[in-house]
Amino acid sequence: MADATTNGTEAAPQPSINILAQYTKDFSFENPGAPRSLQSREKAPNINISVNVNANPMSETDFDVVLTLDASAKEGDKTVFHAELSYGGLFRIQGFAQEHMLPVLFIECPRLLFPFARQIVADATRNGGFPPLMIDPIDFAQMFQQRMAEEQAKAKVAATN
């Protein structure tokens, strides 16, 4: 029989991240200029992609993490296509120290969701008559650090007022 204690104390649970469910929360694809937008063009449209991550606790160990991708292609002031996707996952996170929870929620969880969300956007643009939009990998750690720096700056401004 395996002993679950070390020197008479209970062993801490091993850190784990489990995906309980993945889902499309909201999705929209617009091709407002069709069929004209499908004609060949001399140069590629300007593509702008924005990314956001939100996390909400569902219980002590379960969290709903939503990755939002917003991609638009424009030619001048005309929209060629616009795709918006909110793709979520229900995660069970156990065994992490409290100070590690935010990085797990805002770096590791979206990193696990991203390939699925990327594929949905690529399929939608291809099905809309365009080459598939293959979004480059996202550095969620850098996004998280930037977000934390912005929140610290806001807190400093609020403290001085």
Side-chain angles (χ1 to χ4, degrees):
M1 184 160 113
D3 191 355
T5 62
T6 306
N7 296 334
T9 61
E10 237 180 83
Q14 287 285 26
S16 66
I17 302 172
N18 299 93
I19 302 174
L20 304 178
Q22 293 184 129
Y23 61 93
T24 299
K25 186 169 189 164
D26 189 23
F27 180 64
S28 169
F29 180 81
E30 299 170 22
N31 186 354
R36 289 195 193 287
S37 62
L38 303 176
Q39 295 174 333
S40 63
R41 50 182 51 85
E42 290 181 23
K43 64 177 192 167
N46 292 325
I47 297 176
N48 186 28
I49 300 170
S50 63
V51 180
N52 195 18
V53 178
N54 286 307
N56 296 302
M58 303 300 286
S59 71
E60 267 190 45
T61 59
D62 296 352
F63 298 85
D64 178 42
V65 177
V66 178
L67 171 62
T68 302
L69 301 175
D70 188 326
S72 62
K74 292 192 177 230
E75 202 169 57
D77 62 345
K78 292 185 179 176
T79 299
V80 177
F81 68 79
H82 185 206
E84 293 177 87
L85 172 65
S86 292
Y87 190 77
L90 185 59
F91 291 85
R92 179 157 294 148
I93 300 171
Q94 297 174 308
F96 286 90
Q98 190 61 36
E99 64 268 15
H100 295 211
M101 287 302 291
L102 284 178
V104 168
L105 289 169
F106 288 92
I107 299 170
E108 293 306 316
C109 292
R111 186 181 60 77
L112 293 169
L113 294 174
F114 177 73
F116 301 97
R118 178 184 192 227
Q119 189 63 50
I120 291 169
V121 171
D123 287 347
T125 54
R126 187 193 65 228
N127 291 340
F130 302 98
L133 177 60
M134 300 304 289
I135 299 172
D136 288 338
I138 297 168
D139 185 348
F140 290 104
Q142 191 246 346
M143 270 183 61
F144 176 72
Q145 290 169 350
Q146 183 178 348
R147 186 175 188 170
M148 296 307 293
E150 288 171 3
E151 288 183 19
Q152 287 175 350
K154 285 179 190 175
K156 283 182 184 178
V157 169
T160 59
N161 292 336

